[in-house]
Amino acid sequence: MANVKDDEIELPDDPEGETKVNKNGILLGGREYKVRVFTISGKGDRLYMLSTEPARCIGFRDSYLFFQKHKTLWKIILTEEAKRDLIERSLIPHSYKGRAIGVVTARSVFREFGAKIIIGGRKVIDDYQTAAARAKGDIEGELAVPEDKLPGEGDAYDKNRFVAWHGASSVYHTGGPSVPLPNGKIIEGKKRKVTVTGSNWMLEHAREASRFNTSIALTRRQNLEGVYDPHTNVLQYPRIMQPTHARWETCDTSCYSPSAGSIDEDRRSDSKFPRIPSILERNFLIADTYFLSPPVTSFAIPGPDGDVLDVGPPGLAATSENDAATMPFDCRRALESAQQEAMKWKSFWKGEGVDGARTQLRISYNQ
């Protein structure tokens, strides 16, 4: 269990970060939070934030995922007395009187997000953990959130855009994800209006096709990093990246023996790996991992029990005879050839008893 002190999880202080915020969460050096901060009756001058506001500022739809993804933040539920005080100060509406209101210290939010929670925040300069930011490769002085709407000269920053009862939900009308993207930016699509004529229709069609292919490629590339599922709190990866079968094989190492003969000497010369010392062969289990991919990714899970474990499409082998009979001759020949390849790949693997190198147990009932 983490130690909680002053409504914060105790973490090591960053000497450089301490020059940017004091112990009560008041920013130094002219910095200002993007969201509203306030004090709570009975807790001194320490500054707090409604947990929903920094969550929406960072890109979360609600505070639940906000605290689930950032374990260094400590959520405090306000007492009835504290809620009445905030209502009287017009910090929360009267309709929130019967709700559970969660708050978080402003200092802990700044420690966690640094420049992202600062108006016009710049990387490293406005980060609390400067050493971690530099190690991550952040460019010093670069805007942490380039797409943020900064006020003009003499104008105030609109902090109400993250307040629920001031229309904060309008921030999410772009159809963006419920959690931030890996780079922390939510990309908003921009519509491009082009008048299509008889002379440019082919060019515009090719451009749109290329743009669509690019978006598909980007989506697939992002999927390789995993897709966060908020319902299970796990990262899900594409099915094609998961191993489906494993097989153990015992390799004959006699070709590595210096007295094996000229043929084995030739076999040994073809290998790019060094010779395994005999003492290692006798005393240790030496295993090499070899990955083998199917010729076609649409092939089903191999092995005799693959049909039971496979939750995806059954593959070409499941094509019915009625469907095959309606095909032209050339198409049917291509289908039969593909089915043979699929069966060859499937029969290359055996069941768990064989590929798992299970030994035959000798069970004796004699005492």
Side-chain angles (χ1 to χ4, degrees):
M1 287 291 293
N3 294 327
V4 179
K5 181 181 179 182
D6 296 334
D7 292 337
E8 297 178 14
I9 294 178
E10 284 191 304
L11 296 172
D13 291 336
D14 187 297
E16 191 172 349
E18 288 296 312
T19 62
K20 305 172 186 178
V21 64
N22 66 11
K23 295 298 181 181
N24 289 327
I26 300 175
L27 294 174
L28 307 175
R31 298 176 177 86
E32 186 179 354
Y33 291 112
K34 288 183 179 180
V35 300
R36 305 179 307 161
V37 293
F38 49 85
T39 58
I40 296 178
S41 176
K43 293 185 178 291
D45 297 329
R46 194 176 306 115
L47 296 181
Y48 292 83
M49 302 175 180
L50 291 175
S51 58
T52 55
E53 295 181 22
R56 287 173 176 140
C57 179
I58 297 301
F60 291 87
R61 289 186 184 273
D62 53 55
S63 61
Y64 173 76
L65 292 175
F66 180 65
F67 287 106
Q68 285 292 317
K69 296 286 287 183
H70 299 279
K71 301 294 186 181
T72 59
L73 300 177
W74 185 256
K75 184 177 181 179
I76 305 105
I77 302 298
L78 293 180
T79 63
E80 294 298 324
E81 180 182 354
K83 279 194 294 184
R84 283 195 299 270
D85 179 60
L86 294 185
I87 291 173
E88 292 174 359
R89 293 156 59 187
S90 300
L91 291 171
I92 59 175
H94 192 272
S95 59
Y96 278 40
K97 182 179 180 181
R99 299 188 185 183
I101 305 298
V103 296
V104 61
T105 61
R107 175 181 166 85
S108 64
V109 173
F110 175 67
R111 292 177 60 140
E112 180 72 12
F113 300 105
K116 293 181 180 179
I117 202 68
I118 303 299
I119 297 176
R122 299 185 178 275
K123 296 180 179 178
V124 181
I125 296 175
D126 295 318
D127 281 322
Y128 180 86
Q129 300 177 2
T130 54
R134 291 190 182 100
K136 193 169 55 176
D138 288 346
I139 301 175
E140 186 169 349
E142 188 180 63
L143 282 174
V145 187
E147 67 274 13
D148 191 20
K149 298 178 181 178
L150 297 177
E153 188 68 26
D155 296 332
Y157 186 84
D158 183 17
K159 298 183 180 182
N160 288 336
R161 60 195 297 257
F162 303 114
V163 181
W165 53 93
H166 285 291
S169 57
S170 63
V171 178
Y172 306 100
H173 289 172
T174 58
S178 60
V179 293
L181 296 177
N183 58 2
K185 303 175 183 178
I186 297 179
I187 303 174
E188 296 184 2
K190 295 183 179 180
K191 293 183 179 180
R192 174 173 164 266
K193 186 176 181 180
V194 178
T195 303
V196 179
T197 63
S199 58
N200 71 346
W201 71 269
M202 189 175 295
L203 173 62
E204 294 301 326
H205 180 79
R207 282 178 175 172
E208 290 300 323
S210 175
R211 188 177 295 110
F212 182 69
N213 290 339
T214 302
S215 65
I216 291 178
L218 289 175
T219 302
R220 289 175 175 172
R221 195 173 296 117
Q222 290 176 356
N223 288 343
L224 298 180
E225 302 294 333
V227 178
Y228 175 71
D229 180 21
H231 303 290
T232 58
N233 198 29
V234 297
L235 281 174
Q236 298 182 352
Y237 293 89
R239 175 173 173 265
I240 59 173
M241 297 178 62
Q242 308 302 315
T244 58
H245 208 85
R247 180 172 65 190
W248 287 85
E249 292 184 359
T250 303
C251 298
D252 183 15
T253 59
S254 60
C255 60
Y256 294 100
S257 173
S259 61
S262 59
I263 297 179
D264 291 332
E265 288 292 334
D266 294 339
R267 289 172 57 191
R268 187 177 65 185
S269 63
D270 293 339
S271 176
K272 63 180 180 180
F273 297 104
R275 173 181 172 180
I276 302 175
S278 58
I279 188 172
L280 296 181
E281 293 182 19
R282 292 195 306 267
N283 299 297
F284 297 95
L285 171 66
I286 302 173
D288 290 335
T289 305
Y290 180 76
F291 294 96
L292 188 64
S293 299
V296 180
T297 56
S298 61
F299 286 175
I301 294 181
D305 54 354
D307 295 336
V308 178
L309 303 175
D310 199 351
V311 295
L316 296 173
T319 305
S320 64
E321 287 294 332
N322 294 334
D323 293 337
T326 60
M327 296 180 181
F329 179 73
D330 293 342
C331 294
R332 180 157 186 170
R333 284 184 57 185
L335 174 65
E336 292 174 351
S337 176
Q339 287 178 333
Q340 290 177 1
E341 288 293 325
M343 292 305 299
K344 182 179 178 181
W345 165 256
K346 189 175 180 66
S347 60
F348 181 74
W349 306 88
K350 307 300 181 184
E352 173 67 15
V354 177
D355 287 352
R358 307 296 183 189
T359 186
Q360 295 292 332
L361 297 179
R362 296 182 179 180
I363 300 176
S364 175
Y365 296 98
N366 297 327
Q367 296 294 331

